[in-house]
Coordinates of all heavy atoms in Angstrom, one line a residue:
T1 N 71.7 -107.9 -110.4 CA 70.6 -107.9 -111.3 C 69.7 -106.6 -111.1 O 69.8 -106.0 -110.1 CB 69.7 -109.1 -111.2 OG1 69.0 -109.0 -109.9 CG2 70.5 -110.4 -111.3
A2 N 68.9 -106.3 -112.1 CA 68.1 -105.1 -112.0 C 67.1 -105.3 -110.9 O 66.8 -104.3 -110.2 CB 67.3 -104.9 -113.3
A3 N 66.5 -106.5 -110.7 CA 65.6 -106.7 -109.6 C 66.2 -106.5 -108.3 O 65.6 -105.9 -107.4 CB 65.0 -108.1 -109.7
D4 N 67.5 -106.9 -108.1 CA 68.2 -106.6 -106.8 C 68.4 -105.1 -106.7 O 68.3 -104.6 -105.6 CB 69.6 -107.3 -106.8 CG 69.4 -108.8 -106.8 OD1 68.4 -109.3 -106.2 OD2 70.4 -109.5 -107.3
A5 N 68.7 -104.4 -107.7 CA 68.9 -103.0 -107.7 C 67.7 -102.3 -107.2 O 67.7 -101.3 -106.4 CB 69.4 -102.4 -109.0
I6 N 66.5 -102.7 -107.7 CA 65.3 -102.0 -107.4 C 65.0 -102.2 -105.9 O 64.6 -101.3 -105.2 CB 64.1 -102.6 -108.2 CG1 64.3 -102.1 -109.6 CG2 62.8 -102.1 -107.6 CD1 63.3 -102.7 -110.6
G7 N 65.3 -103.4 -105.4 CA 65.1 -103.7 -104.0 C 66.0 -102.9 -103.1 O 65.6 -102.6 -101.9
H8 N 67.1 -102.4 -103.6 CA 68.0 -101.6 -102.8 C 67.8 -100.1 -103.1 O 68.6 -99.2 -102.7 CB 69.4 -102.0 -103.0 CG 69.8 -103.3 -102.4 ND1 69.8 -104.4 -103.2 CD2 70.0 -103.7 -101.2 CE1 70.1 -105.5 -102.4 NE2 70.2 -105.1 -101.2
N9 N 66.8 -99.8 -103.9 CA 66.5 -98.4 -104.3 C 67.6 -97.7 -105.0 O 67.7 -96.5 -105.0 CB 66.0 -97.6 -103.1 CG 64.8 -98.0 -102.5 OD1 64.0 -98.7 -103.2 ND2 64.5 -97.8 -101.2
S10 N 68.4 -98.4 -105.7 CA 69.4 -97.8 -106.6 C 69.7 -98.7 -107.8 O 69.4 -99.9 -107.7 CB 70.7 -97.5 -105.8 OG 71.3 -98.7 -105.5
L11 N 70.2 -98.2 -108.8 CA 70.4 -98.9 -110.1 C 71.8 -98.5 -110.6 O 72.1 -97.4 -110.7 CB 69.3 -98.6 -111.1 CG 69.4 -99.2 -112.5 CD1 69.3 -100.7 -112.3 CD2 68.4 -98.7 -113.4
R12 N 72.6 -99.5 -110.8 CA 74.0 -99.3 -111.3 C 74.0 -99.7 -112.8 O 73.7 -100.8 -113.2 CB 75.0 -100.1 -110.5 CG 76.4 -99.9 -110.9 CD 77.3 -100.8 -110.0 NE 77.2 -100.3 -108.7 CZ 78.2 -99.7 -108.0 NH1 79.4 -99.5 -108.6 NH2 78.1 -99.2 -106.8
L13 N 74.5 -98.7 -113.6 CA 74.6 -99.0 -115.1 C 76.0 -98.9 -115.5 O 76.8 -98.1 -115.1 CB 73.8 -97.9 -115.8 CG 72.3 -97.8 -115.6 CD1 71.7 -96.7 -116.4 CD2 71.6 -99.1 -115.9
N14 N 76.4 -99.9 -116.3 CA 77.8 -99.9 -116.9 C 77.7 -99.4 -118.3 O 76.8 -99.8 -119.0 CB 78.4 -101.3 -116.8 CG 78.6 -101.8 -115.4 OD1 79.1 -101.0 -114.6 ND2 78.2 -103.0 -115.1
E15 N 78.7 -98.6 -118.7 CA 78.7 -98.1 -120.0 C 80.0 -98.6 -120.7 O 81.1 -98.6 -120.0 CB 78.7 -96.6 -120.1 CG 77.3 -96.1 -119.6 CD 77.2 -94.6 -119.9 OE1 78.1 -94.0 -120.5 OE2 76.2 -94.1 -119.5
D16 N 80.0 -99.0 -121.9 CA 81.1 -99.6 -122.6 C 82.0 -98.6 -123.2 O 83.0 -98.9 -123.8 CB 80.6 -100.6 -123.7 CG 79.9 -101.8 -123.1 OD1 80.2 -102.2 -122.0 OD2 79.0 -102.3 -123.8
D17 N 81.7 -97.3 -123.1 CA 82.5 -96.2 -123.8 C 83.6 -95.7 -122.9 O 84.2 -94.7 -123.2 CB 81.6 -95.1 -124.3 CG 80.8 -94.4 -123.2 OD1 81.0 -94.8 -122.0 OD2 80.1 -93.5 -123.5
G18 N 83.9 -96.3 -121.8 CA 85.0 -95.9 -120.9 C 84.6 -95.0 -119.8 O 85.4 -94.6 -119.0
R19 N 83.3 -94.5 -119.8 CA 82.9 -93.6 -118.7 C 82.8 -94.4 -117.4 O 82.5 -95.6 -117.4 CB 81.6 -93.0 -119.0 CG 81.7 -91.9 -120.1 CD 80.4 -91.1 -120.1 NE 79.7 -91.4 -121.4 CZ 78.5 -91.0 -121.6 NH1 77.8 -90.4 -120.7 NH2 77.9 -91.2 -122.8
S20 N 82.9 -93.7 -116.3 CA 82.8 -94.4 -115.0 C 81.3 -94.8 -114.8 O 80.4 -94.3 -115.4 CB 83.2 -93.5 -113.9 OG 82.4 -92.4 -113.8
E21 N 81.1 -95.7 -113.9 CA 79.8 -96.2 -113.5 C 78.9 -95.0 -113.0 O 79.5 -94.2 -112.3 CB 79.8 -97.3 -112.5 CG 80.4 -98.6 -113.0 CD 80.5 -99.6 -111.9 OE1 80.6 -99.2 -110.7 OE2 80.3 -100.7 -112.2
M22 N 77.7 -95.0 -113.3 CA 76.7 -94.0 -112.8 C 75.7 -94.7 -111.9 O 75.2 -95.8 -112.2 CB 76.0 -93.3 -113.9 CG 76.9 -92.4 -114.8 SD 76.1 -91.6 -116.0 CE 76.0 -92.8 -117.3
L23 N 75.5 -94.1 -110.8 CA 74.5 -94.6 -109.8 C 73.2 -93.8 -109.9 O 73.2 -92.6 -110.0 CB 75.0 -94.6 -108.4 CG 76.3 -95.5 -108.1 CD1 76.8 -95.3 -106.7 CD2 75.9 -96.9 -108.3
Y24 N 72.1 -94.5 -109.8 CA 70.8 -93.9 -109.9 C 70.0 -94.3 -108.6 O 70.1 -95.4 -108.1 CB 70.0 -94.4 -111.1 CG 70.5 -93.9 -112.4 CD1 71.7 -94.4 -112.9 CD2 69.8 -92.9 -113.0 CE1 72.1 -93.9 -114.1 CE2 70.3 -92.4 -114.2 CZ 71.4 -92.9 -114.8 OH 71.9 -92.4 -116.0
D25 N 69.3 -93.4 -108.0 CA 68.5 -93.6 -106.8 C 67.0 -93.5 -107.2 O 66.6 -92.6 -107.9 CB 68.8 -92.6 -105.7 CG 70.2 -92.8 -105.2 OD1 70.6 -93.9 -104.9 OD2 70.9 -91.8 -105.0
L26 N 66.2 -94.4 -106.7 CA 64.8 -94.4 -106.8 C 64.2 -93.3 -106.0 O 64.5 -93.2 -104.8 CB 64.2 -95.8 -106.4 CG 62.7 -96.0 -106.6 CD1 62.3 -95.9 -108.1 CD2 62.3 -97.3 -105.9
Y27 N 63.4 -92.5 -106.5 CA 62.7 -91.4 -105.7 C 61.2 -91.4 -105.9 O 60.5 -90.6 -105.1 CB 63.3 -90.0 -106.1 CG 62.9 -89.5 -107.4 CD1 61.8 -88.7 -107.5 CD2 63.7 -89.7 -108.5 CE1 61.5 -88.1 -108.8 CE2 63.4 -89.2 -109.8 CZ 62.2 -88.4 -109.9 OH 61.9 -87.9 -111.1
G28 N 60.7 -92.1 -106.8 CA 59.2 -92.1 -107.0 C 58.7 -93.3 -107.7 O 59.4 -93.9 -108.6
V29 N 57.5 -93.7 -107.4 CA 56.8 -94.9 -108.0 C 55.4 -94.5 -108.2 O 54.7 -94.1 -107.2 CB 57.0 -96.2 -107.2 CG1 56.3 -97.3 -107.8 CG2 58.4 -96.5 -106.9
V30 N 54.8 -94.8 -109.4 CA 53.4 -94.7 -109.6 C 52.9 -96.2 -109.5 O 53.5 -97.1 -110.1 CB 53.1 -94.2 -111.0 CG1 51.6 -94.3 -111.3 CG2 53.6 -92.7 -111.1
H31 N 51.9 -96.3 -108.7 CA 51.2 -97.7 -108.5 C 49.9 -97.7 -109.2 O 49.1 -96.7 -109.1 CB 51.0 -97.9 -107.0 CG 52.3 -97.8 -106.2 ND1 53.1 -98.9 -106.0 CD2 52.9 -96.8 -105.6 CE1 54.1 -98.5 -105.2 NE2 54.0 -97.2 -105.0
H32 N 49.6 -98.8 -109.8 CA 48.2 -99.0 -110.3 C 47.5 -100.1 -109.5 O 48.1 -101.2 -109.3 CB 48.2 -99.5 -111.8 CG 46.9 -99.8 -112.4 ND1 46.3 -101.0 -112.4 CD2 45.9 -98.9 -112.8 CE1 45.1 -100.9 -112.9 NE2 44.8 -99.6 -113.2
Q33 N 46.4 -99.8 -109.0 CA 45.6 -100.7 -108.1 C 44.3 -101.0 -108.8 O 43.6 -100.1 -109.3 CB 45.4 -100.1 -106.7 CG 46.6 -99.8 -106.0 CD 46.4 -98.9 -104.8 OE1 45.4 -98.3 -104.6 NE2 47.4 -99.0 -103.9
G34 N 44.0 -102.3 -109.0 CA 42.8 -102.6 -109.6 C 43.0 -103.5 -110.8 O 44.1 -104.1 -111.0
A35 N 42.0 -103.6 -111.7 CA 42.1 -104.5 -112.9 C 42.6 -103.8 -114.1 O 42.7 -102.6 -114.1 CB 40.7 -105.1 -113.2
L36 N 42.9 -104.5 -115.2 CA 43.4 -103.9 -116.4 C 42.3 -103.0 -117.0 O 42.7 -102.0 -117.6 CB 43.8 -105.0 -117.4 CG 45.0 -105.8 -117.1 CD1 45.2 -106.9 -118.1 CD2 46.2 -104.9 -117.0
S37 N 41.1 -103.3 -116.8 CA 40.0 -102.5 -117.4 C 39.7 -101.3 -116.6 O 38.9 -100.4 -117.1 CB 38.7 -103.4 -117.5 OG 38.3 -103.8 -116.2
G38 N 40.2 -101.1 -115.4 CA 40.0 -100.0 -114.6 C 40.7 -100.1 -113.3 O 41.3 -101.1 -113.0
G39 N 40.8 -99.0 -112.6 CA 41.5 -99.0 -111.3 C 41.8 -97.6 -110.8 O 41.2 -96.7 -111.2
H40 N 42.8 -97.6 -110.0 CA 43.2 -96.3 -109.3 C 44.7 -96.2 -109.3 O 45.4 -97.2 -109.1 CB 42.6 -96.4 -107.9 CG 42.8 -95.2 -107.1 ND1 42.2 -94.0 -107.4 CD2 43.6 -95.0 -106.0 CE1 42.6 -93.1 -106.5 NE2 43.4 -93.6 -105.6
Y41 N 45.2 -95.0 -109.5 CA 46.6 -94.7 -109.4 C 46.9 -94.0 -108.1 O 46.2 -93.1 -107.7 CB 47.1 -93.9 -110.6 CG 47.0 -94.7 -111.9 CD1 45.9 -94.6 -112.7 CD2 48.1 -95.4 -112.3 CE1 45.8 -95.3 -113.9 CE2 48.0 -96.1 -113.5 CZ 46.9 -96.1 -114.3 OH 46.8 -96.8 -115.5
V42 N 48.0 -94.4 -107.5 CA 48.6 -93.7 -106.3 C 50.1 -93.5 -106.6 O 50.6 -94.2 -107.5 CB 48.3 -94.5 -105.0 CG1 46.8 -94.6 -104.7 CG2 49.0 -95.8 -105.0
A43 N 50.7 -92.7 -105.8 CA 52.2 -92.5 -105.9 C 52.9 -92.6 -104.6 O 52.4 -92.1 -103.6 CB 52.4 -91.1 -106.6
S44 N 54.1 -93.2 -104.7 CA 55.0 -93.2 -103.5 C 56.2 -92.3 -103.9 O 56.8 -92.4 -105.0 CB 55.6 -94.6 -103.3 OG 54.5 -95.5 -103.0
L45 N 56.5 -91.4 -103.0 CA 57.7 -90.4 -103.2 C 58.6 -90.4 -102.0 O 58.1 -90.5 -100.8 CB 57.1 -89.0 -103.4 CG 56.3 -88.8 -104.7 CD1 55.7 -87.4 -104.7 CD2 57.2 -89.0 -105.9
K46 N 59.9 -90.3 -102.3 CA 60.9 -90.2 -101.2 C 61.1 -88.7 -100.9 O 61.5 -88.0 -101.8 CB 62.2 -90.9 -101.6 CG 63.2 -91.0 -100.5 CD 64.4 -91.8 -100.9 CE 65.3 -92.0 -99.8 NZ 66.5 -92.8 -100.2
S47 N 60.8 -88.3 -99.7 CA 61.0 -86.9 -99.3 C 62.5 -86.6 -99.1 O 63.3 -87.4 -99.0 CB 60.2 -86.6 -98.0 OG 58.9 -86.9 -98.2
D48 N 62.8 -85.3 -99.0 CA 64.1 -84.8 -98.7 C 64.7 -85.4 -97.4 O 65.9 -85.6 -97.3 CB 64.2 -83.3 -98.7 CG 64.0 -82.7 -100.1 OD1 64.2 -83.4 -101.1 OD2 63.6 -81.5 -100.2
D49 N 63.8 -85.7 -96.5 CA 64.3 -86.2 -95.2 C 64.5 -87.8 -95.3 O 64.8 -88.4 -94.3 CB 63.3 -85.9 -94.1 CG 61.9 -86.5 -94.3 OD1 61.7 -87.3 -95.2 OD2 61.0 -86.2 -93.5
G50 N 64.3 -88.4 -96.5 CA 64.5 -89.8 -96.6 C 63.3 -90.7 -96.4 O 63.4 -91.9 -96.6
Q51 N 62.3 -90.1 -95.9 CA 61.1 -90.9 -95.6 C 60.2 -91.1 -96.8 O 60.0 -90.2 -97.6 CB 60.2 -90.2 -94.5 CG 58.9 -90.8 -94.2 CD 59.0 -92.2 -93.6 OE1 59.7 -92.4 -92.6 NE2 58.3 -93.2 -94.2
W52 N 59.8 -92.3 -97.0 CA 58.9 -92.6 -98.1 C 57.4 -92.3 -97.7 O 57.0 -92.6 -96.6 CB 59.0 -94.1 -98.6 CG 60.2 -94.3 -99.4 CD1 61.4 -94.7 -99.0 CD2 60.3 -94.2 -100.8 NE1 62.3 -94.8 -100.1 CE2 61.6 -94.5 -101.2 CE3 59.4 -93.8 -101.8 CZ2 62.0 -94.5 -102.5 CZ3 59.8 -93.7 -103.1 CH2 61.1 -94.1 -103.5
R53 N 56.6 -91.7 -98.6 CA 55.2 -91.4 -98.4 C 54.4 -91.9 -99.5 O 54.8 -91.8 -100.7 CB 55.1 -89.9 -98.1 CG 55.7 -89.5 -96.8 CD 55.5 -88.0 -96.6 NE 56.0 -87.6 -95.2 CZ 57.3 -87.4 -95.0 NH1 58.2 -87.4 -95.9 NH2 57.7 -87.1 -93.8
L54 N 53.2 -92.4 -99.2 CA 52.3 -92.9 -100.2 C 51.2 -91.8 -100.3 O 50.5 -91.5 -99.3 CB 51.7 -94.2 -99.8 CG 50.6 -94.8 -100.7 CD1 51.2 -95.1 -102.1 CD2 49.9 -96.0 -100.1
F55 N 51.0 -91.3 -101.5 CA 50.0 -90.3 -101.8 C 48.8 -90.9 -102.5 O 48.9 -91.4 -103.6 CB 50.5 -89.2 -102.7 CG 51.6 -88.4 -102.0 CD1 52.9 -88.9 -101.9 CD2 51.3 -87.2 -101.3 CE1 53.9 -88.2 -101.3 CE2 52.3 -86.5 -100.7 CZ 53.6 -87.0 -100.7
N56 N 47.6 -90.9 -101.8 CA 46.4 -91.5 -102.3 C 45.3 -90.5 -102.2 O 44.7 -90.4 -101.2 CB 46.1 -92.8 -101.6 CG 44.9 -93.6 -102.1 OD1 44.2 -93.1 -103.0 ND2 44.7 -94.7 -101.6
D57 N 45.1 -89.8 -103.3 CA 44.1 -88.7 -103.3 C 44.4 -87.7 -102.2 O 45.5 -87.2 -102.2 CB 42.7 -89.2 -103.2 CG 42.3 -90.0 -104.5 OD1 42.8 -89.7 -105.6 OD2 41.4 -90.9 -104.4
A58 N 43.5 -87.5 -101.3 CA 43.7 -86.5 -100.2 C 44.4 -87.1 -99.0 O 44.7 -86.4 -98.0 CB 42.4 -85.9 -99.8
Q59 N 44.8 -88.4 -99.0 CA 45.4 -89.0 -97.9 C 46.9 -89.3 -98.2 O 47.3 -89.6 -99.3 CB 44.7 -90.4 -97.6 CG 43.3 -90.2 -97.3 CD 42.6 -91.5 -97.2 OE1 42.9 -92.5 -97.8 NE2 41.6 -91.6 -96.3
I60 N 47.7 -89.1 -97.1 CA 49.2 -89.3 -97.2 C 49.6 -90.2 -96.1 O 49.2 -90.0 -94.9 CB 49.9 -88.0 -97.2 CG1 49.5 -87.0 -98.3 CG2 51.5 -88.2 -97.2 CD1 50.1 -85.6 -98.2
Y61 N 50.3 -91.3 -96.4 CA 50.8 -92.2 -95.4 C 52.3 -92.3 -95.4 O 52.9 -92.3 -96.5 CB 50.2 -93.6 -95.7 CG 48.7 -93.7 -95.8 CD1 48.1 -93.6 -97.1 CD2 47.9 -93.8 -94.7 CE1 46.7 -93.6 -97.2 CE2 46.5 -93.9 -94.8 CZ 45.9 -93.8 -96.1 OH 44.6 -93.8 -96.2
E62 N 52.9 -92.5 -94.3 CA 54.3 -92.8 -94.3 C 54.4 -94.3 -94.4 O 53.7 -95.1 -93.8 CB 55.0 -92.4 -92.9 CG 55.1 -90.9 -92.8 CD 56.0 -90.4 -91.7 OE1 56.4 -91.3 -90.9 OE2 56.2 -89.2 -91.6
I63 N 55.4 -94.7 -95.3 CA 55.5 -96.2 -95.6 C 57.0 -96.5 -95.5 O 57.9 -95.7 -95.5 CB 55.0 -96.6 -97.0 CG1 55.7 -95.8 -98.1 CG2 53.5 -96.3 -97.0 CD1 55.3 -96.2 -99.5
H64 N 57.3 -97.8 -95.3 CA 58.6 -98.3 -95.2 C 59.2 -98.5 -96.6 O 58.5 -98.9 -97.5 CB 58.6 -99.7 -94.4 CG 60.0 -100.1 -94.0 ND1 60.8 -100.7 -94.9 CD2 60.6 -99.9 -92.8 CE1 62.0 -101.0 -94.2 NE2 61.9 -100.5 -93.0
S65 N 60.5 -98.3 -96.8 CA 61.1 -98.5 -98.1 C 60.9 -99.8 -98.7 O 60.8 -100.0 -99.9 CB 62.6 -98.1 -98.0 OG 63.2 -99.0 -97.1
R66 N 60.8 -100.9 -97.9 CA 60.6 -102.2 -98.4 C 59.2 -102.4 -99.1 O 59.0 -103.3 -99.9 CB 60.8 -103.3 -97.4 CG 59.7 -103.3 -96.3 CD 59.8 -104.5 -95.3 NE 58.9 -104.3 -94.2 CZ 59.2 -103.8 -93.1 NH1 60.4 -103.4 -92.8 NH2 58.3 -103.7 -92.2
D67 N 58.3 -101.5 -98.8 CA 56.9 -101.5 -99.4 C 56.7 -100.7 -100.6 O 55.6 -100.6 -101.2 CB 55.9 -101.1 -98.3 CG 55.9 -102.0 -97.1 OD1 56.1 -103.3 -97.3 OD2 55.8 -101.5 -96.0
V68 N 57.8 -100.0 -101.1 CA 57.7 -99.1 -102.2 C 57.5 -99.8 -103.5 O 56.6 -99.5 -104.3 CB 58.9 -98.1 -102.2 CG1 58.9 -97.3 -103.5 CG2 58.9 -97.2 -101.0
V69 N 58.4 -100.8 -103.8 CA 58.3 -101.5 -105.0 C 57.7 -102.9 -104.8 O 58.2 -103.7 -104.1 CB 59.7 -101.7 -105.7 CG1 59.6 -102.5 -107.0 CG2 60.4 -100.3 -105.9
D70 N 56.5 -103.0 -105.3 CA 55.8 -104.3 -105.2 C 55.1 -104.6 -106.5 O 55.4 -103.9 -107.5 CB 54.8 -104.2 -104.0 CG 53.7 -103.1 -104.2 OD1 53.6 -102.6 -105.3 OD2 53.0 -102.9 -103.2
S71 N 54.2 -105.5 -106.5 CA 53.5 -105.9 -107.8 C 52.6 -104.8 -108.4 O 52.3 -104.9 -109.6 CB 52.7 -107.2 -107.6 OG 51.7 -107.0 -106.6
S72 N 52.3 -103.8 -107.6 CA 51.5 -102.7 -108.2 C 52.3 -101.6 -108.8 O 51.8 -100.7 -109.4 CB 50.6 -102.1 -107.1 OG 51.4 -101.4 -106.1
A73 N 53.6 -101.7 -108.7 CA 54.5 -100.7 -109.3 C 54.3 -100.6 -110.8 O 54.5 -101.6 -111.5 CB 56.0 -100.9 -108.9
Y74 N 54.1 -99.4 -111.3 CA 53.7 -99.3 -112.7 C 54.8 -98.4 -113.4 O 55.3 -98.8 -114.5 CB 52.4 -98.6 -112.8 CG 51.8 -98.4 -114.2 CD1 51.5 -99.5 -115.0 CD2 51.7 -97.2 -114.8 CE1 51.0 -99.4 -116.3 CE2 51.2 -97.0 -116.1 CZ 50.8 -98.1 -116.8 OH 50.3 -98.0 -118.1
I75 N 55.2 -97.3 -112.8 CA 56.3 -96.5 -113.4 C 57.2 -96.2 -112.3 O 56.8 -95.8 -111.2 CB 55.7 -95.2 -114.0 CG1 54.7 -95.5 -115.1 CG2 56.9 -94.3 -114.5 CD1 54.0 -94.2 -115.6
L76 N 58.5 -96.4 -112.5 CA 59.6 -96.1 -111.5 C 60.4 -94.9 -112.0 O 60.7 -94.8 -113.1 CB 60.5 -97.3 -111.3 CG 59.9 -98.4 -110.5 CD1 58.9 -99.2 -111.2 CD2 61.0 -99.3 -110.0
F77 N 60.7 -93.9 -111.0 CA 61.4 -92.7 -111.3 C 62.8 -92.8 -110.6 O 62.8 -93.0 -109.4 CB 60.6 -91.5 -110.9 CG 59.4 -91.3 -111.7 CD1 58.2 -91.9 -111.2 CD2 59.3 -90.5 -112.8 CE1 57.0 -91.7 -111.9 CE2 58.2 -90.3 -113.5 CZ 57.0 -90.9 -113.1
Y78 N 63.8 -92.6 -111.4 CA 65.2 -92.5 -110.8 C 65.8 -91.2 -111.1 O 65.5 -90.5 -112.1 CB 66.0 -93.6 -111.5 CG 65.7 -95.0 -111.1 CD1 64.7 -95.8 -111.8 CD2 66.3 -95.7 -110.0 CE1 64.4 -97.0 -111.5 CE2 65.9 -96.9 -109.7 CZ 65.0 -97.6 -110.4 OH 64.7 -98.9 -110.0
I79 N 66.8 -90.8 -110.3 CA 67.6 -89.7 -110.5 C 69.1 -90.1 -110.4 O 69.4 -90.8 -109.5 CB 67.3 -88.5 -109.6 CG1 68.0 -87.2 -110.0 CG2 67.5 -88.9 -108.1 CD1 67.5 -86.0 -109.4
R80 N 69.9 -89.6 -111.3 CA 71.3 -89.9 -111.2 C 71.9 -89.2 -110.0 O 71.7 -88.0 -109.8 CB 72.0 -89.5 -112.5 CG 73.2 -90.3 -112.8 CD 73.7 -90.1 -114.2 NE 74.4 -88.8 -114.2 CZ 74.7 -88.1 -115.4 NH1 74.3 -88.6 -116.5 NH2 75.3 -87.0 -115.3
R81 N 72.7 -89.9 -109.2 CA 73.3 -89.4 -108.0 C 74.1 -88.1 -108.2 O 74.1 -87.2 -107.4 CB 74.1 -90.4 -107.2 CG 73.3 -91.4 -106.5 CD 74.2 -92.3 -105.6 NE 73.3 -93.3 -105.0 CZ 73.8 -94.3 -104.3 NH1 75.1 -94.4 -104.1 NH2 73.0 -95.2 -103.8
D82 N 74.9 -88.1 -109.2 CA 75.8 -87.0 -109.4 C 75.1 -85.7 -109.9 O 75.7 -84.6 -109.9 CB 76.9 -87.3 -110.4 CG 76.5 -87.6 -111.8 OD1 75.3 -87.9 -112.0 OD2 77.3 -87.5 -112.7
V83 N 73.8 -85.7 -110.1 CA 73.1 -84.5 -110.5 C 71.9 -84.2 -109.6 O 71.3 -83.2 -109.8 CB 72.6 -84.6 -112.0 CG1 73.7 -84.7 -113.0 CG2 71.6 -85.7 -112.2
K84 N 71.6 -85.1 -108.6 CA 70.4 -84.8 -107.9 C 70.5 -83.6 -107.0 O 69.4 -83.1 -106.6 CB 70.0 -86.1 -107.0 CG 70.9 -86.4 -105.9 CD 70.3 -87.6 -105.2 CE 71.2 -88.0 -104.0 NZ 70.6 -89.2 -103.4
N85 N 71.6 -83.1 -106.6 CA 71.8 -81.9 -105.8 C 72.0 -80.7 -106.6 O 72.2 -79.6 -106.0 CB 72.9 -82.1 -104.8 CG 72.5 -83.2 -103.8 OD1 71.3 -83.3 -103.4 ND2 73.5 -84.0 -103.4
L86 N 72.0 -80.8 -107.9 CA 72.2 -79.6 -108.8 C 71.0 -78.7 -108.8 O 69.9 -79.3 -108.8 CB 72.6 -80.0 -110.2 CG 74.0 -80.6 -110.4 CD1 74.1 -81.0 -111.9 CD2 75.1 -79.7 -110.0
R87 N 71.2 -77.5 -108.9 CA 70.1 -76.5 -109.1 C 70.0 -76.2 -110.6 O 71.0 -76.4 -111.3 CB 70.3 -75.3 -108.3 CG 70.4 -75.5 -106.8 CD 70.8 -74.3 -106.1 NE 72.0 -73.8 -106.8 CZ 72.7 -72.7 -106.4 NH1 72.2 -72.0 -105.4 NH2 73.8 -72.3 -107.0
S88 N 68.9 -75.7 -111.1 CA 68.7 -75.4 -112.5 C 69.8 -74.4 -112.9 O 70.2 -74.4 -114.1 CB 67.3 -75.0 -112.8 OG 67.0 -73.8 -112.1
E89 N 70.1 -73.5 -112.0 CA 71.1 -72.5 -112.3 C 72.5 -73.1 -112.6 O 73.4 -72.5 -113.2 CB 71.3 -71.5 -111.2 CG 70.0 -70.7 -110.8 CD 69.1 -71.4 -109.9 OE1 69.6 -72.2 -109.0 OE2 67.9 -71.3 -110.0
D90 N 72.8 -74.3 -112.1 CA 74.1 -74.9 -112.2 C 74.2 -75.6 -113.6 O 75.3 -76.0 -113.9 CB 74.3 -76.0 -111.1 CG 74.3 -75.4 -109.7 OD1 74.7 -74.2 -109.6 OD2 73.9 -76.1 -108.8
L91 N 73.1 -75.8 -114.3 CA 73.1 -76.5 -115.6 C 73.6 -75.6 -116.7 O 73.5 -74.5 -116.8 CB 71.8 -77.1 -115.9 CG 71.3 -78.1 -114.9 CD1 69.9 -78.5 -115.2 CD2 72.2 -79.3 -114.8

């Protein structure tokens, strides 16, 4: 399920047009903290070294991958595995 995929930081999509499966890796999450009428946004990003970090204004914290997707997750960012190592010159 999609919920299971989020928990494992990857998403598998099937296409009916005969193309092979594509895998997506989670690399960033925007979190909303507070009420609907107001609040604060922070971001979690996965660094090149594989460590997740939480960016909250001028503060940066290392966090565990299990803490990335929670009830405060607002926008999730994925990158397709077969293109994540491409450079703009390769396109």
Side-chain angles (χ1 to χ4, degrees):
T1 68
D4 292 332
I6 290 170
H8 291 101
N9 294 337
S10 65
L11 178 62
R12 182 178 293 249
L13 299 178
N14 294 315
E15 294 190 4
D16 295 329
D17 62 359
R19 287 193 248 169
S20 63
E21 293 179 325
M22 290 183 278
L23 295 176
Y24 289 75
D25 292 317
L26 181 67
Y27 72 90
V29 178
V30 174
H31 304 269
H32 179 263
Q33 301 169 338
L36 291 175
S37 60
H40 183 67
Y41 291 92
V42 298
S44 298
L45 294 171
K46 189 174 187 180
S47 298
D48 289 338
D49 64 5
Q51 174 65 50
W52 281 94
R53 291 180 174 85
L54 177 68
F55 294 82
N56 185 353
D57 294 331
Q59 299 172 330
I60 302 171
Y61 305 95
E62 289 191 355
I63 60 174
H64 193 278
S65 61
R66 71 174 170 265
D67 299 322
V68 173
V69 178
D70 61 12
S71 61
S72 72
Y74 184 67
I75 303 172
L76 284 71
F77 295 88
Y78 290 90
I79 188 164
R80 209 169 75 197
R81 281 188 186 175
D82 64 340
V83 298
K84 73 178 175 181
N85 293 322
L86 290 179
R87 300 172 306 181
S88 59
E89 300 86 34
D90 297 332
L91 300 175

